[in-house]
Amino acid sequence: MNPLVRFFKVKLYTALFLLVLMLVIGVLGFRVISDYSWIDALYMTVITITTVGYGEVQPLDANAKLFTIFLILSSVVVLGYAITVITEYILSKNNFEEQKQR
Amino acid sequence: MNPLVRFFKVKLYTALFLLVLMLVIGVLGFRVISDYSWIDALYMTVITITTVGYGEVQPLDANAKLFTIFLILSSVVVLGYAITVITEYILSKNNFEEQKQR
Amino acid sequence: MNPLVRFFKVKLYTALFLLVLMLVIGVLGFRVISDYSWIDALYMTVITITTVGYGEVQPLDANAKLFTIFLILSSVVVLGYAITVITEYILSKNNFEEQKQR
Amino acid sequence: MNPLVRFFKVKLYTALFLLVLMLVIGVLGFRVISDYSWIDALYMTVITITTVGYGEVQPLDANAKLFTIFLILSSVVVLGYAITVITEYILSKNNFEEQKQR
Ligand SMILES: [K+]
Ligand SMILES: [K+]
């Protein structure tokens, strides 16, 4: 396999792993801190990470708000990393095709 | 027609088709699972896919929450694909103009 | 002035004009269709176009929901156009600097 | 240090500084204008700037709505600047690697 492609695969899998990790942290967090059911905890985590944000499934106390702030800010960083990796991959694929055309 | 442009047109129409498909799946899903009216189902689907997310038009039970999670995650993948295709198109058009200038 | 820069300035001003137009359409629409106050209509329009989406300032009837769907979908297209124009501008500036370095 | 890298570091730190400034302005604003607690003011600011937007923590009067409109629009501009700087950095790094490969 092309070493450049392998290099990006590692970075893409890292980004994907971090996104799944955020999902797991979110679900466990809302389970433990706010006593949400499994489905509510997953629902709350998905609408938070994707910024859909319909509203809190059940009211959050101060601790749950601090956890949610941490989850949102971490997700923004992880999503930013994922988008950067995908952009770099598109650019390097584009370079490769540009050089083939010459 | 330029084969490169035709190639991107196919990809752009695929992305557009998938977005319309998500819209149709969303409307039918909220109709069937949550008994929303046609307008409410369309409204809920549009505010979900675009991540505006004012709030659930009517409360969702566990099944409707699972459907909404599926709709949100699928939409993120389809939107990501659409943005990737548009970025590749802008880049290859940019390459083309760059080479003309030399 | 560089003709390339002038070309992008026209496109950027078009995008900015369309964004302000969406803002005006949103404010007038929520004023007329939902009898919102000026501040509520502006607030609702801003949280809609930016997809913050706290929630409807006051409940929307079927007509107001259809108008909101139209406002959201138009804004997505206008924002997509704005982002495309800015990306093209960054790329052509980047080409220009790349060629100077050679 | 490479002057190009130093140039982008200055821009990236500026973007980061402006984001933190928006956070501080948001927290102080919701404290003073809407009498939010520190945690609520931070929570409201984070869900606003990241466009998660679950909903207003407590109802906002006309002045608080105007402040929120200002916070949202400023954040969009700052986020747009941050994304532009990161894109320019990825592109110039990509140019550099492309030229090494020749
Ligand atoms: K939202
Ligand atoms: K909301």
Side-chain angles (χ1 to χ4, degrees), chain A residues 47 50-54, chain B residues 51-54, chain C residues 51-54, chain D residues 50-54:
Chain A
I47 68 170
T50 59
T51 77
V52 172
Y54 297 122
Chain B
T51 78
V52 172
Y54 298 121
Chain C
T51 79
V52 171
Y54 297 122
Chain D
T50 60
T51 77
V52 171
Y54 298 123

Side-chain angles (χ1 to χ4, degrees), chain D residues 50-102:
Chain D
T50 60
T51 77
V52 171
Y54 298 123
E56 297 87 350
V57 178
Q58 287 165 50
L60 304 178
D61 62 13
N63 277 341
K65 279 181 186 159
L66 287 177
F67 170 71
T68 306
I69 291 169
F70 156 78
L71 186 68
I72 293 174
L73 295 184
S74 318
S75 299
V76 166
V77 172
V78 169
L79 282 175
Y81 176 69
I83 292 169
T84 299
V85 169
I86 294 170
T87 306
E88 286 178 344
Y89 179 63
I90 296 175
L91 278 172
S92 69
K93 220 177 65 178
N94 185 66
N95 287 346
F96 187 69
E97 275 156 27
E98 200 188 356
Q99 284 173 20
K100 270 200 308 191
Q101 283 175 17
R102 286 182 190 168

Side-chain angles (χ1 to χ4, degrees), chain A residues 37-101:
Chain A
S37 70
W38 283 108
I39 286 183
D40 279 0
L42 178 61
Y43 183 70
M44 182 69 183
T45 306
V46 167
I47 68 170
T48 299
I49 294 179
T50 59
T51 77
V52 172
Y54 297 122
E56 299 87 351
V57 179
Q58 288 165 49
L60 304 178
D61 62 14
N63 276 342
K65 279 180 187 159
L66 287 177
F67 170 72
T68 305
I69 291 169
F70 156 78
L71 185 68
I72 293 174
L73 295 183
S74 318
S75 299
V76 166
V77 172
V78 169
L79 281 175
Y81 176 69
I83 293 169
T84 300
V85 170
I86 292 170
T87 306
E88 286 177 345
Y89 180 64
I90 296 174
L91 278 172
S92 69
K93 220 178 61 176
N94 185 65
N95 286 346
F96 186 69
E97 274 156 27
E98 200 188 357
Q99 284 173 19
K100 270 200 308 189
Q101 282 175 16

